[in-house]
Amino acid sequence: MTLRLLLAFSTLILAATVDAQCRFDPLDRGRVVKISGAQLPAASAMELSALSVMRVERGRFVPVAYQFDEMDQKGMVWFEDSGFALAGSPGQLDADDQLLMMLTDAGPHAPEGLEPEQGEVISELTVADSCHFYLVRGNNERSGNYYVAHDVDSGETRTALYRLDVDPDNELNWHYLGYRGYQGEGSIIDTLKMRMSAGVLSRFTRMTLDNHNLRPKRVGFSVGPIRSVMHLRTRVVLAGIPVMTIQVQAMRYASHYEAHTYAKIPDLYRATLKEPEVSVTVDGNNQSGAAVYTANFVDNPVIVDGKADDQAFADQTMTMDANWILFDSKRDFALLTHLTVPDELMETPLALIYQDDASLAVEPEQFPGQWPNLGYSLHGWPQPEELRFTVSLYFEDGLEGFAADEFARQRSAVVPVQINQ
């Protein structure tokens, strides 16, 4: 086991107890602070290598784990082989670049007159009302803490909270998900499922692609202290017609997983392909007794029992404004899913996918049945020529005493940051 892997197991627990002056809610564990370069005008165009993040601890500035990611012109993390142009100048802080830290690494306010032993403070970043980070230029100290240990060649990811094993040749095929303290046996999930279907020339000549056909190829990756990012590309071909190229960035964090999807849709294929659908679901592994909530079923969740008798729940209306799905295993593991799209795609028709059927086979799968299979289906072509969406999967012990809707709101909320230059 490498040093970084050991740190990934220990750091998340220690960070919340470093300084008693900062107080965090139960759902703050694992939350990420994300700041754009545009929010840091005092550091604009500075060399990224000269910038770092620190906090105050025991009367001095100490380094904390942080990560700068340079972004491309499509709003994704930039990789040279992605085919997307870098937004800004390489190696410098630009407006679209992202700075990431762990919320629980924040510390108290710096006493009047306190300065780093080396370098200078550029900006003070206030989070959680009274906790602070400091963006510093010219300090060589760096934290050795890593919150994510991801081996892209083996497909194994370990953090303090979960272990995820995927097929290294196909990111869609999840083999194992385990969570610290989970009271069940084996993998919590069967696999991740992505499907794309459309009628070719007619809605009656329908074809469907799944994990086996949509084999994404890795074109770039980075593993940082806060998140790992893999850029994947898959070419969609239906009935011999090359429809589009889908670009996906899979991101692993200390306590959640994100899949950012981008595709450009040529006008020709809008006319050729009828009633297209794109779906992303997570198939549970024998999660009998679990409760599943949505915005429409906050107080009366459906209970997983392997029987296809939950049609009212499966047929509920879902919108982009309230699309969260909360799965509580009742065995010290909860999964919150949330779909986000840009403002121009908010009217895209969206449907819930919910299948609770012990005898239903939906390939690919390792274990028989859908126990349950839950997620989203986007219907039709959006009006813009570009399709963008992000599916986020948040892992937790349970609802921590919150009502389902409040849990969903707090867990998926963006961490507010006040920035003093």
Side-chain angles (χ1 to χ4, degrees):
M1 184 177 292
T2 66
L3 175 60
R4 287 184 176 181
L5 190 55
L6 286 167
L7 289 169
F9 272 99
S10 61
T11 306
L12 204 87
I13 308 305
L14 296 174
T17 62
V18 167
D19 200 298
Q21 296 184 51
C22 280
R23 293 286 185 264
F24 300 104
D25 294 330
L27 296 184
D28 287 338
R29 178 191 60 181
R31 293 185 71 191
V32 174
V33 178
K34 187 182 298 183
I35 302 172
S36 71
Q39 295 173 272
L40 301 168
S44 178
M46 290 184 180
E47 295 294 324
L48 295 177
S49 60
L51 298 172
S52 62
V53 179
M54 309 187 84
R55 69 160 177 245
V56 172
E57 182 181 330
R58 299 183 180 91
R60 63 182 296 267
F61 281 94
V62 299
V64 300
Y66 72 95
Q67 184 170 340
F68 281 109
D69 282 332
E70 296 187 89
M71 309 301 287
D72 63 35
Q73 293 183 359
K74 299 300 182 182
M76 306 179 92
V77 177
W78 180 74
F79 293 97
E80 184 174 2
D81 294 334
S82 69
F84 296 151
L86 176 67
S89 301
Q92 296 181 359
L93 183 64
D94 298 300
D96 293 320
D97 293 342
Q98 292 182 351
L99 169 62
L100 301 95
M101 300 89 68
M102 299 301 298
L103 175 60
T104 51
D105 270 345
H109 187 269
E112 188 69 28
L114 183 67
E115 298 289 342
E117 295 177 4
Q118 182 185 31
E120 60 178 331
V121 171
I122 301 299
S123 300
E124 179 185 28
L125 318 174
T126 304
V127 296
D129 296 328
S130 60
C131 299
H132 307 266
F133 294 102
Y134 293 87
L135 181 65
V136 176
R137 178 175 64 176
N139 190 297
N140 295 327
E141 289 187 86
R142 296 292 185 269
S143 169
N145 293 338
Y146 266 63
Y147 288 92
V148 179
H150 177 199
D151 187 331
V152 294
D153 294 322
S154 70
E156 180 181 355
T157 303
R158 288 178 181 262
T159 78
L161 297 175
Y162 71 88
R163 172 186 161 191
L164 173 64
D165 296 342
V166 308
D167 180 351
D169 296 321
N170 189 339
E171 175 72 9
L172 297 175
N173 292 334
W174 288 20
H175 293 160
Y176 177 87
L177 175 65
Y179 187 82
R180 190 195 67 164
Y182 173 61
Q183 298 301 307
E185 296 183 359
S187 177
I188 298 171
I189 57 97
D190 186 335
T191 192
L192 186 71
K193 298 180 179 181
M194 185 171 184
R195 304 174 78 84
M196 185 169 185
S197 64
V200 181
L201 299 178
S202 164
R203 63 188 179 90
F204 300 108
T205 55
R206 197 163 191 84
M207 297 191 66
T208 299
L209 305 178
D210 59 20
N211 291 26
H212 297 306
N213 314 109
L214 298 170
R215 297 184 62 85
K217 302 299 182 184
R218 190 176 77 208
V219 297
F221 72 92
S222 64
V223 180
I226 309 301
R227 70 179 175 191
S228 73
V229 184
M230 294 178 61
H231 191 109
L232 307 157
R233 180 189 295 139
T234 185
R235 288 181 170 83
V236 179
V237 179
L238 285 168
I241 302 173
V243 177
M244 68 178 76
T245 297
I246 297 178
Q247 313 263 15
V248 177
Q249 288 199 340
M251 300 182 179
R252 292 156 168 81
Y253 295 82
S255 65
H256 79 282
Y257 179 100
E258 293 178 359
H260 297 248
T261 300
Y262 169 89
K264 186 172 183 178
I265 308 163
D267 288 338
L268 172 63
Y269 303 131
R270 290 177 182 268
T272 304
L273 301 179
K274 308 299 181 182
E275 299 182 2
E277 296 181 18
V278 177
S279 67
V280 180
T281 62
V282 179
D283 184 5
N285 175 27
N286 194 10
Q287 294 295 316
S288 181
V292 184
Y293 304 79
T294 66
N296 300 317
F297 288 78
V298 172
D299 300 318
N300 54 333
V302 67
I303 304 301
V304 177
D305 58 7
K307 301 176 183 178
D309 54 5
D310 307 308
Q311 205 58 43
F313 187 89
D315 290 342
Q316 66 182 278
T317 301
M318 183 165 280
T319 67
M320 289 295 183
D321 289 316
N323 64 55
W324 57 267
I325 308 168
L326 176 56
F327 167 89
D328 182 7
S329 71
K330 305 295 185 179
R331 288 179 277 183
D332 294 333
F333 173 79
L335 168 67
L336 173 69
T337 71
H338 186 233
L339 178 71
T340 53
V341 298
D343 290 343
E344 61 270 23
L345 297 181
M346 287 296 290
E347 300 305 316
T348 303
L350 178 69
L352 171 73
I353 295 177
Y354 182 78
Q355 298 166 321
D356 178 16
D357 189 337
S359 62
L360 178 63
V362 179
E363 293 293 331
E365 57 184 20
Q366 302 178 83
F367 313 109
Q370 313 304 299
W371 286 74
N373 187 34
L374 53 85
Y376 307 97
S377 177
L378 287 80
H379 291 196
W381 297 126
Q383 287 302 314
E385 67 176 7
E386 295 179 331
L387 175 65
R388 303 168 185 256
F389 63 90
T390 298
V391 178
S392 301
L393 309 176
Y394 301 95
F395 309 137
E396 286 289 342
D397 295 355
L399 273 60
E400 301 287 357
F402 291 97
D405 53 351
E406 182 63 13
F407 177 96
R409 186 190 68 79
Q410 289 204 31
R411 187 61 186 88
S412 60
V414 174
V415 177
V417 183
Q418 178 183 333
I419 300 174
N420 299 316
Q421 308 295 335

